[in-house]
């Protein structure tokens, strides 16, 4: 009489052991995958990110309401209210004399705000050549590293549109590092003839390139626009 020994997989203890092993392997893979996803999300959350925080014009002079009315400007000035109070006003430009033949600014002239002041400044400098008078503005852009780690190799390039034509306005010559939670500013000057009416809207197209600590390159573009009638800034994605 012959007997057959039970098969390996027919033993309930073996099946339970295999099931436990398979469960452990699947649990390990799930844990590793979950840890990888959490790490990826954590890295993305903490990676440095350069964002435009604020845009504004540099204030060259502050004055009261009475001063704005009583001053002999010699032209029609562009005066804005101040957030500091109802009786405070500000000028976001100064009068810049330029050589009429070359268009080059008279570099050693002090900033002035009225035509009588400009005339006195030209006499002080003994300027003999014909000059043209411009309003010189200085827009300033403040950028913030919103991430929790620094960014490196950050470069910023700005174009400006005055009359439906984009032109170069600013280019950072040296890439910079921006630590976490730190702000950096850039500013530049532009000028228009004193007799020219300022456009109702001036657009600035800002290109931002940087690398995070993981070596990933980021590039974005944003447009900051200024309404000259209200001294109001608004922002949006580039579309033109």
């Amino acid at each position: 009489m012959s007997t057959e020994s039970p098969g390996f997989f027919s033993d309930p203890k073996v099946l339970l052991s295999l099931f436990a092993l398979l469960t452990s392997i699947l649990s390990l893979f799930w844990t590793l995958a979950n840890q990888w996803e959490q790490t990826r999300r954590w890295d993305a959350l903490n990676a440095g990110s350069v964002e435009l925080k604020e845009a504004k014009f540099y204030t060259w002079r502050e004055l009261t309401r009475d001063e704005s009315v009583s001053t002999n400007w010699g032209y029609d000035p562009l005066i804005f209210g101040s957030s500091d109070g109802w009786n405070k006003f500000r000028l976001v430009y100064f009068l810049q004399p330029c050589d009429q033949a070359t268009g080059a600014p008279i570099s050693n002239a002090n900033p002035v705000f009225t035509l009588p002041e400009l005339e006195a400044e030209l006499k002080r400098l003994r300027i003999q050549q014909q000059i043209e008078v411009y309003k010189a503005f200085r827009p300033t852009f403040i950028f913030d590293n919103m991430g929790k780690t620094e960014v490196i190799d950050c470069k910023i390039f700005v174009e400006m549109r005055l009359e439906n034509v984009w032109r170069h306005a600013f280019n950072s010559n040296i890439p910079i590092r921006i630590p976490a939670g730190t702000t950096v500013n850039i500013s530049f000057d532009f000028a228009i003839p004193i007799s020219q009416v300022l456009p109702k809207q001036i657009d600035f197209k800002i290109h931002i390139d940087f690398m995070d600590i993981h070596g990933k390159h980021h590039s974005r573009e944003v447009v900051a626009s200024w309404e000259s009638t209200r001294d109001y800034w608004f922002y949006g994605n580039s579309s033109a």
Side-chain angles (χ1 to χ4, degrees), residues 48-51 141-145 149-157 170-180 182-187 206-213 216-218:
S49 179
V50 180
E51 306 288 346
F141 299 92
I142 302 172
F143 301 89
D144 191 4
N145 179 1
T149 54
E150 73 171 359
V151 302
I152 59 176
D153 199 28
C154 182
K155 303 173 185 176
I156 299 172
F157 173 75
F170 174 86
N171 187 30
S172 54
N173 295 321
I174 302 175
I176 60 174
R177 289 176 176 264
I178 307 178
T182 301
T183 60
V184 295
N185 321 349
I186 67 165
S187 60
I206 304 163
H207 310 261
I208 308 170
D209 288 281
F210 63 92
M211 189 176 296
D212 62 29
I213 60 170
K216 184 177 179 180
H217 176 259
H218 301 264

Side-chain angles (χ1 to χ4, degrees), residues 77-149:
L78 182 65
I79 302 174
F80 295 113
S82 172
S83 59
D84 294 335
W86 70 271
N87 195 37
K88 290 186 178 181
F89 294 85
R90 60 197 183 93
L91 292 176
V92 296
Y93 67 91
F94 65 93
L95 298 185
Q96 183 179 74
C98 296
D99 188 302
Q100 189 178 64
T102 64
I106 308 299
S107 59
N108 55 345
N110 293 322
V112 295
F113 307 96
T114 72
L115 289 181
E117 289 173 343
L118 180 60
E119 183 178 356
E121 182 67 9
L122 294 176
K123 286 181 179 180
R124 182 186 72 84
L125 296 173
R126 298 180 180 179
I127 300 298
Q128 300 297 323
Q129 68 265 39
Q130 294 293 314
I131 62 114
E132 291 185 352
V133 184
Y134 286 77
K135 294 176 182 176
F137 299 82
R138 179 169 295 174
T140 299
F141 299 92
I142 302 172
F143 301 89
D144 191 4
N145 179 1
M146 303 293 289
K148 295 184 179 180
T149 54

Side-chain angles (χ1 to χ4, degrees), residues 38-67:
Q38 288 182 343
T39 300
R40 185 191 68 81
R41 291 181 179 179
W42 181 259
D43 288 343
L45 181 65
N46 289 276
S49 179
V50 180
E51 306 288 346
L52 177 62
K53 181 180 181 180
E54 183 183 4
K56 60 184 180 179
F57 276 98
Y58 181 80
T59 298
W60 291 97
R61 179 182 172 185
E62 293 183 336
L63 62 163
T64 65
R65 181 183 298 273
D66 290 341
E67 287 175 324

